[in-house]
Amino acid sequence: MTSHVDQAVAARIAAARAKREQQRQQRAELAEARTAGLAARHRTKLQRQTEDTPPTPGGTMNPASVLAANRVRTSEFNPRSYSHISSLAELHKAYLLEEFERTGDYAPGLPVASHTNTLIIRVGDEIGGFCAVDPHHFALELIYLAPPYRGRGIAAALIQQMRATCPQRMKAKLPFTPQGQALVTRTGLQPLQPAAASVQAAAAQLAEIHRVVRRDCPHKKGNPAKPCRRCWPKALRRSTEYAIRQYLAEQRDRAA
């Protein structure tokens, strides 16, 4: 026969076990809800970041109509044109800074390189973006539109137009930003691992970023592995200038 003390102890133990089990179930439910919430937020973010407008009725999109309605024209990047050089530099800097604010890290993709062809995108009378493609691998390297020209379907229309004239299935080089992933998914491009030339060019640009950070950043002792929100943006801007200077030097050497 158990005493009142034993019964009280047993009751407390049972209550403690029940409480722990209840807490365990609550934690599991919260974790499940958090996972579902993060997934939903990610899907919403991708949807908001996409540069495309919904397809026209019937599920098709007429790229020519979209481009004509927005007065979009493209021209090959001219390394002898000051307006092309300065506009491309400002656009690529804006791209890097936007992605740094979004992710806190370096974003992939070069504005110009020896292995790419770069197109300047005009919207009306203004230079509103650029598009770099790798003609050797039929792959999109990077496409960027300034904020005022997004949400009109311009990027998707340009890609669809390029796909229509591409002799092979058009691809897009990895890695993607969230915005780039949304556009690639929307347009049906095939992901492609970057070739050696792309990897080397990207490595050179990243090395330049790290060099500037080590030299100029006093806040995190010049450690590039810990992006400083005060000094990394300056390094990103310098990296754009470095990439364009390298390309222009290569073009001069070829012409010599």
Side-chain angles (χ1 to χ4, degrees):
M1 187 174 180
T2 58
S3 67
H4 290 295
V5 174
D6 291 336
Q7 290 176 352
V9 170
R12 289 187 179 183
I13 291 174
R17 286 176 178 171
K19 184 176 181 180
R20 285 198 299 270
E21 179 61 22
Q22 183 182 18
Q23 290 174 339
R24 186 191 67 78
Q25 291 180 353
Q26 288 176 342
R27 287 195 298 269
E29 291 172 358
L30 286 172
E32 184 178 354
R34 183 175 182 273
T35 301
L38 287 174
R41 285 176 59 191
H42 183 64
R43 288 193 300 269
T44 302
K45 183 178 180 181
L46 289 179
Q47 184 178 359
R48 288 176 178 174
Q49 288 176 342
T50 183
E51 299 176 342
D52 305 311
T53 54
T56 56
T60 60
M61 181 179 72
N62 186 336
S65 298
V66 172
L67 299 179
N70 289 281
R71 298 171 57 209
V72 175
R73 294 174 291 115
T74 60
S75 59
E76 189 171 351
F77 171 70
N78 183 357
R80 296 183 179 86
S81 167
Y82 174 78
S83 65
H84 278 202
I85 294 172
S86 59
S87 296
L88 183 63
E90 291 306 312
L91 288 165
H92 190 255
K93 289 175 185 177
Y95 160 72
L96 292 179
L97 293 174
E98 280 181 30
E99 293 304 322
F100 182 76
E101 285 299 317
R102 193 175 286 131
T103 66
D105 205 351
Y106 164 73
L110 295 169
V112 284
S114 59
H115 64 279
T116 66
N117 291 340
T118 297
L119 299 176
I120 298 297
I121 302 170
R122 286 187 176 274
V123 185
D125 298 325
E126 302 294 330
I127 293 179
F130 69 93
C131 176
V133 295
D134 181 345
H136 307 290
H137 296 90
F138 307 103
L140 177 70
E141 179 96 9
L142 175 62
I143 187 167
Y144 176 80
L145 285 171
Y149 309 112
R150 297 175 192 168
R152 308 184 192 181
I154 294 173
L158 286 170
I159 291 174
Q160 296 287 11
Q161 195 173 65
M162 287 188 285
R163 285 185 63 186
T165 59
C166 187
Q168 295 185 13
R169 181 179 177 184
M170 192 170 172
K171 308 171 187 69
K173 288 188 180 180
L174 293 163
F176 303 134
T177 63
Q179 191 175 32
Q181 176 67 69
L183 184 60
V184 168
T185 301
R186 180 85 174 189
T187 53
L189 298 184
Q190 179 181 357
L192 175 70
Q193 290 292 343
S198 297
V199 173
Q200 291 170 1
Q205 188 181 29
L206 188 57
E208 175 65 11
I209 294 172
H210 287 183
R211 185 188 70 81
V212 174
V213 170
R214 289 192 185 97
R215 186 191 66 192
D216 297 341
C217 179
H219 309 106
K220 295 192 176 181
K221 298 181 180 179
N223 184 358
K226 297 179 180 179
C228 170
R229 289 195 170 272
R230 282 174 284 184
C231 296
W232 256 69
K234 179 171 70 173
L236 292 173
R237 295 187 188 95
R238 295 274 184 88
S239 74
T240 292
E241 296 165 2
Y242 170 81
I244 294 177
R245 282 200 310 270
Q246 289 292 102
Y247 175 78
L248 296 178
E250 291 172 0
Q251 294 302 304
R252 286 194 297 269
D253 291 342
R254 289 182 181 179

